[in-house]
Amino acid sequence: MKIRNLDLSDNAINAEHTALGLPPVEDDVSHPSDHPVLRIAVWAVGFMLIAVVTYLASKLFNGHHEQTGMQLIVATVTGDAFWKAVLVGLVAQTVDGALGMAYGITSTSFLLATGSSPAVASASVHIAEVFTTGVSGISHVKLGNVNKSLFLRLLIPGILGASAGAWVVSSVDSSVIKPVVSAYLFLMGLYIVSKVFKKITPRKETPKHVAKLGLFGGFVDAVGGGGWGPVVTTTLVGTGQDPRTTIGSVNLAEFFLTFTSAAVFAGLVEEGPWPTVAGLVVGGLFAAPFAALLTRRLNTKTLLVLVGGVISCISLYNLHRALG
């Protein structure tokens, strides 16, 4: 995808949308200075990210450990779990940066294949995603990509669904939940591939059943370690909603439900996933520049087929192992 000078005014964007048969940008979309709700959301994201970093640092250096903080860091970076997670984070972030979705699904599929339980895999992914979704959400607000109304309609149902899903996957025996999660990821992989053959019919009316969609998306995201983007974004865009504001609104809401899931997992999951979390973050940060390059080299349909096919194959393997 070549970079060119763009006129990002609402009139220019609406003219381009009209030429493509897409609905116009809604008036409810603007920069945070024009919407107190979005300003509050941005400040909340910033404070919550600072709180997470402070909490993790205090746990590392002031917790009751047999080793010092530096010794724990050395033990982490020399362990197999860390480097496996780095590789997973590298692949997942490349996929997510190229497609705008599927970080959680890709990460969870690979972590399950390496032997992690569904609870630990989902906990690791959501804790790592707190950072990536936070930065992404703030960026979308600053660029004027967030529809305040859609964001608010998704926020509370998404958080409730994520909380319920985190509790379910943490409380149910992994031997029972793992086949269910693998089957879900397999179907999501097929769904991603199916997007290649779908034709989007533009619609101008306000989307319906957003709360139900947010509730379901948050639940399956927590249970499957991912799925908020593929479920919510693709459903809304697939019904003809404006892609720019849909992606921005869904991304901002995703931070809050991811934060909620991570908090619930941190309290319920007994096994410490911190080496895996660290690896996912490091791998994701390293992969971010390469995602743009991949997007430039491969077209969207090729990426969809590759990602959906890989996720489906890995999930089938995990399902076979779980049922075998």
Side-chain angles (χ1 to χ4, degrees), residues 86-111:
V86 168
L87 179 61
V88 171
L90 182 71
V91 174
Q93 184 57 45
T94 301
V95 170
D96 189 78
L99 292 179
M101 67 178 70
Y103 177 90
I105 291 176
T106 305
S107 299
T108 304
S109 299
F110 276 97
L111 289 176

Side-chain angles (χ1 to χ4, degrees), residues 30 39 216 231:
S30 63
R39 288 205 305 270
F216 177 70
V231 169

Side-chain angles (χ1 to χ4, degrees), residues 213-225:
L213 181 63
L215 185 69
F216 177 70
F219 180 82
V220 298
D221 185 82
V223 172

Side-chain angles (χ1 to χ4, degrees), residues 9-117:
S9 65
D10 284 347
N11 289 335
I13 292 172
N14 281 332
E16 188 171 334
H17 279 205
T18 301
L20 294 173
L22 293 171
V25 176
E26 298 181 31
D27 293 335
D28 198 20
V29 182
S30 63
H31 292 277
S33 59
D34 298 320
H35 285 301
V37 170
L38 297 185
R39 288 205 305 270
I40 293 172
V42 169
W43 279 103
V45 171
F47 281 122
M48 291 164 78
L49 286 175
I50 293 173
V52 171
V53 172
T54 303
Y55 171 77
L56 294 178
S58 65
K59 291 285 288 184
L60 178 62
F61 292 102
N62 298 320
H64 300 288
H65 308 296
E66 296 181 358
Q67 299 174 302
T68 65
M70 288 305 301
Q71 288 174 329
L72 287 172
I73 292 174
V74 171
T76 295
V77 299
T78 56
D80 290 340
F82 173 79
W83 290 106
K84 287 179 181 177
V86 168
L87 179 61
V88 171
L90 182 71
V91 174
Q93 184 57 45
T94 301
V95 170
D96 189 78
L99 292 179
M101 67 178 70
Y103 177 90
I105 291 176
T106 305
S107 299
T108 304
S109 299
F110 276 97
L111 289 176
L112 290 176
T114 60
S116 296
S117 69

